[in-house]
Amino acid sequence: MPTVHVRSLASDASAAETTLRAVARAVAEVTPCSVSAVWVTFAALEVQTIGERVVVDDGRIVYVDLWMRRRPEDPEAPARALAAACGAAAAGVGVPVEDVWGTVRLVEPGRVFAGGALVE
């Protein structure tokens, strides 16, 4: 189950909701998995600076963190999922994809708690 966390300045709640849906669909398509298996969160940043300059709309950065299990049968799946999530987040928030900073956290068996137990 890929989990994606997106953080950015958001103009309004509908932009965040649109972004959540777009990221889930994009990750599900390239992983592949059911869109209902992709969890996405959006945290709206109240203030963002680049150096000492406060950013409002122009120049804002979007942060994407993808958590996903390794897939031995498809080792490139996390990279594809990250690229898809970053592209969808950029489009949803309305920034160039060059203004997205994304990372992958590979989740190891027995190192994540979900559904009331450690996930193997």
Side-chain angles (χ1 to χ4, degrees):
M1 172 177 308
T3 303
V4 185
H5 305 287
V6 179
R7 292 175 288 136
S8 179
L9 295 170
S11 337
D12 57 47
S14 67
E17 291 172 11
T18 300
T19 302
L20 290 170
R21 289 186 192 96
V23 168
R25 284 191 305 272
V27 169
E29 183 177 318
V30 302
T31 305
C33 69
S34 165
V35 71
S36 64
V38 182
W39 294 3
V40 187
T41 65
F42 189 102
L45 303 175
E46 291 184 31
V47 179
Q48 184 179 58
T49 65
I50 296 176
E52 294 184 351
R53 179 176 59 90
V54 175
V55 176
V56 180
D57 269 331
D58 187 41
R60 61 196 159 139
I61 303 297
V62 177
Y63 306 93
V64 176
D65 298 304
L66 169 71
W67 296 22
M68 187 172 167
R69 287 184 179 184
R70 291 183 192 277
R71 295 188 175 191
E73 74 286 358
D74 186 1
E76 295 303 313
R80 287 194 316 272
L82 179 63
C86 289
V93 175
V95 301
V97 73
E98 295 82 11
D99 291 344
V100 177
W101 178 261
T103 60
V104 173
R105 176 180 288 183
L106 294 174
V107 177
E108 300 297 332
R111 303 244 174 173
V112 67
F113 188 88
L118 285 174
V119 177
E120 294 300 322

